[in-house]
C-alpha cells in the first residue's frame, strides 16, 4: 500500500517537473577567475600551480599532453563532430575570484553558489530531509564544497574533491590515477589527463558499507569554458558504495566541451554502483549550442567476486560519446551496464559499453534502451571480449531502440570477440516504433496523447529505471518527459 | 443516450458504413451480428473515434453531444468504452498503473478529483474479486504475454474499473473457451444497470446465451438490415445470413 502511495507522489513530482523546459539553463552571475583561452604546456603548468600540485602530477599532465598532441580525434563513431578549436577554449575557471583554493568549509561558500544549487535542487546544506545523500559540487573547474565529510570520515570513508585528495591522500591518488584509464587511452582521455581541474575522490576502506549515497553534481557556468573533471573511486575488499552523478549547464548558443574521465577500482568482493543522470544542455530545436560530451568511464573489477554496475540515463548534450566499461579481471567478477539514452531535435548519441572478460566465471549484463525523437541520431555501440583464459564467461546483451517520429534514426553496433570456447554470449536486439495501435488504445481509455507517449516510453525504460536509486529514478522519468516535448504533433 | 442517424464512414479508402441508423436507450443491451466485412467493427471504431475510421456523413448524438466532433480521449471521459477485438500490449507498464492513469485522466476531464492510490487499490481489489479474475492481472504489464482469453478478460476488467455509460464490445467472445466466455459474460452482466448501455458485436449466438440482449440487429453491407429481439439471434444461428438477402 505504501509503495503505491509513493508512486503517486512520485508521479506528481514528475508531472510538476515535466512542465518546465530546460530549467537548468540559467547563468549564475558570479565573479570568477578564468584563464584566457588557449592550450599549451604553460596552460597546464598554470593549472597545476593553481592547485599547488606535487611535481609528479605535473609530470603526469605534461606527459599526457605530449601524447595528446600526437593523437587524432576519433572518427569511428556514428557522429558528425564539428572541428573543435582547442585553442578557443578556456581550461580553467573558478568561481572563487579572490581565494583560488576551494573553501574548506561549507560556511565559506559564496551565497550565490548556494542559491544556484538550491535552484538546481541540489542540497548544499546538510538538511535532515536529504540526510541520505552526501554531495560534492563541482562548479566549472573547481569543487565548491562537499557535504557530510565529517560523518563519512567516522567510518573511514574518504569523500572529497579531487584537488583535496591530491593534497591529503597523495599516495592513494598516485597509486590509482590512470590505473584504469591510462593517460594515452584515447584522445579525450589524454586531453583530460593533461588539463583536468577537479572532480571527486572516493575511498571506501576494507569491510565498510558506505552509510549513504555519494553524489557529485557537475555544473558548467562560465562561457567558453570546458569542463574536464576526473572521478576516482576505490572500493577495498568487502566494501560497498553507491555513487550518483548529475550534470547541467546554462543554455548558450555556443557549444561547450565536456571531457571527463571516471575510474573505478573494486577489490575482492567489493561492489560499486555508479549511476548517472546526464542532463547537459542539449542545444536548441535548431541544433544550436549544447554540450559536446566526450567521456571515458571504466571500472576495473580487480578482485574476486567484485562487481561494478553502471546505470545511466542520458538525455542531454548535443553530442554524446561515452562507453562506460568494465574490465572483469577478478575470477567470478561481474559487470553491468543499464542505459537509457534519449535524443531529440538534432542531438546525436553514440553510447554503449565494453565488457572485457579476463577472469574465470566472469559475468556481464548489458541492457540498453535507445529512444530517438525528432531529427536525432542514436547509436548503441558495444563490445564484449572474452580472453583466452576467461573460462565460462557469460554475457547477456539486450539493446532495444524506440523510434518516435519519422526523421530520427537508431543504430546498433554490437561487437563480440571470443577467444574461449566455453564462453556463453547472448544478444537480443529490437527496434520498434510507438505504434498507432498503442496510442489509440491509451486514447480510448481516456489518456491524452502526451501522457500516452510518456507512459509507453516509461514502460520501455522500466528495466533501467528500476536500477536507479529512488530520487534519481524520479528525476530521470521527469527528464524523459521534458525531453519528449514536441515528440508529437 | 445514443442516436446514430444515417451514418456513412470509410476505413482507409473503402466505404464501409452506408447509411446506418441505430438508437440505444439507457440500460439497453443491443447485439450487432452480421457477416464478415459488414462493418461491425467499423461501427465500434467510429463511435470510439479511432482515427482509422473516417466519418463521411450523418450524425451521432450521445447524451446530447455531437459525438463525432469529440477527440477519442474526450469520448472515453464522457463514458464511451470500446473493448478491443485485438487488445494491444504495452511492455513495462503494469495494468494497475495504466488503469489508474486512465481513470484519473477521465476524472480530471470531468472535473472530478483524482482518486488516490489507496482508494484506487481498494476499489480494484474489490472489482477483481467481484469479477472472478485473478489478482496477478493487476501486476502484469498491460496485455504482455497474455493469452487471447486473458486479453479479453482484461478488457472486461478495465470496463468494470472505468464504469462507462456506453460499452461497446467488439467480438470479445471470439477465441474464448466456455469458461472464459462465462467469466466475460458474468463481468458484463454485473455491470448491467438502468443507466448503462451495451453494444455487443459478435459472430455467435452462444455469447447471447449468457448475456441476454434487449435487441438484436443484423448489420450487412454497411446498414442495419433487420432488427428484432433475442429470437432473431437464434434464427440467424440456424439459417445463417443468406436468407436476409432475398
Amino acid at each position: 500500500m505504501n509503495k503505491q502511495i509513493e508512486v503517486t507522489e512520485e508521479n506528481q513530482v514528475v508531472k510538476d517537473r515535466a512542465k518546465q523546459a530546460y530549467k537548468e539553463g540559467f547563468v549564475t552571475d558570479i565573479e570568477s577567475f578564468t584563464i584566457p583561452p588557449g592550450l599549451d604546456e604553460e596552460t597546464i603548468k598554470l593549472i597545476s600551480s593553481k592547485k599547488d600540485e606535487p611535481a609528479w602530477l605535473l609530470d603526469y599532465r605534461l606527459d599526457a599532453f605530449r601524447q595528446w598532441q600526437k593523437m587524432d580525434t576519433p572518427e569511428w563513431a556514428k557522429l558528425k563532430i564539428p572541428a573543435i578549436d582547442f585553442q578557443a577554449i578556456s581550461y580553467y575557471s573558478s568561481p572563487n575570484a579572490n581565494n583560488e583554493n576551494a573553501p574548506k568549509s561549507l560556511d565559506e561558500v559564496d551565497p550565490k553558489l548556494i542559491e544556484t544549487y538550491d535552484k538546481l535542487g541540489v542540497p548544499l546544506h546538510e538538511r535532515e530531509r536529504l540526510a541520505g545523500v552526501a554531495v560534492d559540487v563541482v562548479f566549472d573547474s573547481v569543487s565548491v564544497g562537499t557535504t557530510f565529510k565529517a560523518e563519512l570520515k567516522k567510518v573511514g570513508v574518504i569523500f572529497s574533491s579531487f584537488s583535496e585528495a591530491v593534497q591529503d591522500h597523495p599516495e592513494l591518488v598516485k597509486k590509482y590515477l590512470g590505473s584504469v584509464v591510462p593517460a594515452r587511452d584515447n584522445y579525450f582521455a589524454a586531453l583530460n589527463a593533461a588539463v583536468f581541474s577537479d572532480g571527486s575522490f572516493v575511498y571506501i576502506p576494507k569491510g565498510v558499507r558506505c552509510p549513504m549515497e555519494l553524489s557529485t553534481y557537475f555544473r558548467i557556468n562560465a562561457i567558453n569554458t570546458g569542463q574536464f573533471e576526473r572521478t576516482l573511486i576505490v572500493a577495498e575488499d568487502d566494501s560497498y558504495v553507491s555513487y550518483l552523478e548529475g550534470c547541467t549547464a546554462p543554455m548558450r548558443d555556443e557549444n561547450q566541451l565536456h571531457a571527463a574521465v571516471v575510474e573505478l577500482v573494486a577489490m575482492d568482493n567489493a561492489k560499486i554502483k555508479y549511476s548517472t543522470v546526464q542532463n547537459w544542455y542539449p542545444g536548441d530545436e535548431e541544433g544550436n549550442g549544447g554540450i559536446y560530451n566526450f567521456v571515458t568511464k571504466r571500472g576495473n573489477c580487480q578482485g574476486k567476486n567484485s562487481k561494478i554496475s553502471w546505470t545511466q540515463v542520458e538525455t542531454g548534450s548535443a553530442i554524446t560519446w561515452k562507453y562506460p566499461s568494465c574490465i572483469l579481471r577478478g575470477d567470478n567478477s561481474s559487470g553491468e551496464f543499464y542505459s537509457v539514452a534519449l535524443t531529440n531535435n538534432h542531438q546525436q548519441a553514440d553510447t554503449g559499453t565494453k565488457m572485457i572478460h579476463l577472469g574465470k566465471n566472469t559475468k556481464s549484463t548489458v541492457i540498453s534502451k535507445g529512444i530517438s525523437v525528432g531529427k536525432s541520431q542514436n547509436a548503441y555501440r558495444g563490445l564484449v571480449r572474452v580472453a583466452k583464459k576467461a573460462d565460462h564467461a557469460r554475457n547477456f546483451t539486450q539493446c532495444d531502440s524506440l523510434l518516435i517520429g519519422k526523421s530520427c534514426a537508431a543504430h546498433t553496433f554490437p561487437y563480440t570477440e571470443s577467444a574461449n570456447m566455453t564462453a556463453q554470449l547472448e544478444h537480443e536486439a529490437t527496434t520498434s516504433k510507438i505504434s498507432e495501435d498503442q496510442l489509440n488504445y491509451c486514447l480510448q481509455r481516456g489518456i491524452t496523447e502526451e501522457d500516452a507517449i510518456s507512459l509507453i516510453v516509461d514502460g520501455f525504460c522500466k528495466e533501467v529505471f528500476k536500477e536507479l536509486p529512488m530520487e534519481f529514478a524520479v528525476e530521470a522519468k521527469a527528464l524523459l518527459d521534458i525531453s519528449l516535448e514536441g515528440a508529437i504533433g | 443516450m445514443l442516436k446514430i442517424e444515417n451514418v456513412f464512414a470509410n476505413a482507409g479508402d473503402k466505404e464501409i458504413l452506408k447509411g446506418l441508423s441505430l438508437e440505444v436507450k439507457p440500460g439497453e443491451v443491443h447485439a450487432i451480428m452480421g457477416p464478415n466485412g459488414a462493418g461491425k467493427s467499423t461501427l465500434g471504431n467510429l463511435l470510439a473515434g479511432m482515427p482509422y475510421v473516417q466519418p463521411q456523413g450523418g450524425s451521432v448524438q450521445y447524451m446530447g453531444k455531437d459525438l463525432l466532433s469529440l477527440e477519442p480521449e474526450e469520448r472515453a471521459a464522457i463514458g464511451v468504452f470500446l473493448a478491443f477485438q485485438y487488445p494491444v500490449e504495452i511492455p513495462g507498464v503494469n495494468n494497475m498503473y495504466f488503469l489508474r492513469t486512465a481513470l484519473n485522466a477521465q476524472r480530471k476531464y470531468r472535473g472530478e478529483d483524482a482518486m488516490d492510490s489507496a482508494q484506487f487499490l481498494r476499489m480494484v481489489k474489490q472489482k477483481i474479486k467481484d469479477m472472478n479474475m485473478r489478482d496477478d492481472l493487476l501486476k502484469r504489464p498491460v496485455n504482455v504475454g497474455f493469452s487471447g482469453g486473458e486479453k479479453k478478460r482484461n478488457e472486461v476488467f478495465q470496463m468494470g474499473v472505468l464504469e462507462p455509460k456506453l460499452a461497446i464490445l467488439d467480438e470479445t467472445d471470439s477465441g474464448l473457451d466456455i469458461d472464459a466466455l462465462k467469466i466475460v459474460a458474468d463481468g458484463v452482466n454485473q455491470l448491467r444497470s438502468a443507466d448503462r448501455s451495451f453494444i455487443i458485436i459478435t459472430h455467435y449466438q452462444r455469447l447471447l446465451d449468457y448475456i441476454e440482449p434487449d435487441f438484436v440487429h443484423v448489420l450487412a453491407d454497411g446498414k442495419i438490415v433487420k432488427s428484432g429481439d433475442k429470437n432473431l439471434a437464434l434464427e440467424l444461428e440456424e439459417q445463417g445470413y443468406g436468407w436476409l438477402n432475398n
Side-chain angles (χ1 to χ4, degrees), chain A residues 373-431:
Chain A
V373 192
K375 298 187 170 64
S376 66
Q377 296 281 329
N378 200 328
Y380 167 82
R381 186 180 302 277
L383 169 67
V384 177
R385 179 183 290 151
V386 179
K388 210 171 169 182
K389 289 181 179 163
D391 291 341
H392 307 292
R394 278 175 297 159
N395 165 266
F396 174 75
T397 297
Q398 180 187 332
C399 3
D400 299 325
S401 310
L402 187 67
L403 304 172
I404 305 176
K406 294 188 178 94
S407 315
C408 56
H411 314 274
T412 307
F413 305 101
Y415 302 91
T416 47
E417 297 168 8
S418 178
N420 187 307
M421 292 295 283
T422 63
Q424 284 180 35
L425 310 177
E426 278 181 73
H427 181 90
E428 287 178 10
T430 65
T431 300

Side-chain angles (χ1 to χ4, degrees), chain A residues 437 441 444-445, chain B residues 32 34-45 48 50 52 81-89 143 146-156 168-176 199-204:
Chain A
D437 288 345
Y441 191 77
Q444 207 301 304
R445 296 299 182 253
Chain B
I32 309 278
N36 286 330
K40 300 190 298 295
S41 290
T42 302
L43 173 63
N45 291 327
M50 295 294 94
Y52 36 86
F81 180 92
L82 174 65
F84 285 87
Q85 188 176 355
Y86 303 108
V88 300
E89 302 184 359
N143 294 325
F146 283 29
S147 69
E150 283 176 317
K151 285 183 184 175
K152 298 300 179 72
R153 262 180 277 177
N154 191 24
E155 292 294 286
V156 173
I168 305 149
L169 280 71
D170 188 3
E171 296 197 23
T172 302
D173 55 330
S174 62
L176 293 189
I199 294 176
I200 295 176
I201 295 165
T202 181
H203 269 293
Y204 305 105

